[in-house]
Amino acid sequence: MTQTPGHHLNEEALLGYASGALGEAESVLVATHLALCPACRGRTSTYEAMGGSMLSQIEPSNLSDGALSATMARLDQTDPSEAPCDDGGFDNATVTVLPRPLRDYVGGSLDSLPWKSRGRGVKELPIRIGDGSVRASLLRIGPGETIPQHTHEGVESTLVLKGAFSDETGTYARGDVAVATADHDHAPVADSTEECICFAVIEGPLRFTGPIGRVLNLFVRP
Ligand SMILES: [Zn+2]
């Protein structure tokens, strides 16, 4: 049985996605959530339809050729959940964990990728999306392990792809999105029953604050 996510993206993110206003990394995060969330997919379709009907009321001469074709291409995009299932050389475990919009950027099966150790039981795989100005990565957290306590200078959006984690704001399972802001010091703990794999997009560098974090900062700081 497929579980429906309980923690969703906000209206701002869905509207931004529907209107094409988000950066590429944020768009991939939204598209990946939409692949797992019928509720947000429905809301996004509504926004896209609203955008399309507004567009049809604008005199074509007021739109540049590029803006019109970009918007029409966007409206033509297929629903990610209905995209043909093509495993493209990925192993079954990877196809099960990574929805299509994200798989295309990861580029290989999970166990074959160059994960970097980020302390006990935590691995990170940086993913280059767009111009690289936004930090995007997959995190792989062993059962019951903790991501070192950290705060950030920007907003961190974390989408769970496998397993679950909990922090003081709640429990997040596959498809759920957790959003942490700069004033929010948190230490997510993976469920003890299985590893947790997440996709995280961070607008601004992380600042680890715990004793392990001070060491990690040496690695993650450019
Ligand atoms: Zn949702």
Side-chain angles (χ1 to χ4, degrees), residues 5 8-9 33 37 40:
H8 300 274
L9 290 159
H33 177 72
C37 183
C40 288

Side-chain angles (χ1 to χ4, degrees), residues 104-115:
D104 291 342
Y105 284 93
V106 170
S109 292
L110 288 169
D111 287 333
S112 70
L113 296 167
W115 295 88

Side-chain angles (χ1 to χ4, degrees), residues 22-46:
L22 295 184
E24 192 168 353
E26 291 93 344
S27 292
V28 173
L29 186 128
V30 174
T32 305
H33 177 72
L34 294 183
L36 300 172
C37 183
C40 288
R41 225 156 47 224
R43 284 154 70 205
T44 304
S45 300
T46 306

Side-chain angles (χ1 to χ4, degrees), residues 32-80:
T32 305
H33 177 72
L34 294 183
L36 300 172
C37 183
C40 288
R41 225 156 47 224
R43 284 154 70 205
T44 304
S45 300
T46 306
Y47 297 145
E48 286 174 343
M50 284 161 54
S53 79
M54 271 155 51
L55 195 69
S56 68
Q57 291 164 26
I58 300 172
E59 289 293 322
S61 59
N62 292 343
L63 277 172
S64 72
D65 287 352
L68 183 61
S69 59
T71 307
M72 296 316 285
R74 207 166 172 81
L75 294 173
D76 285 344
Q77 275 176 2
T78 51
D79 182 331

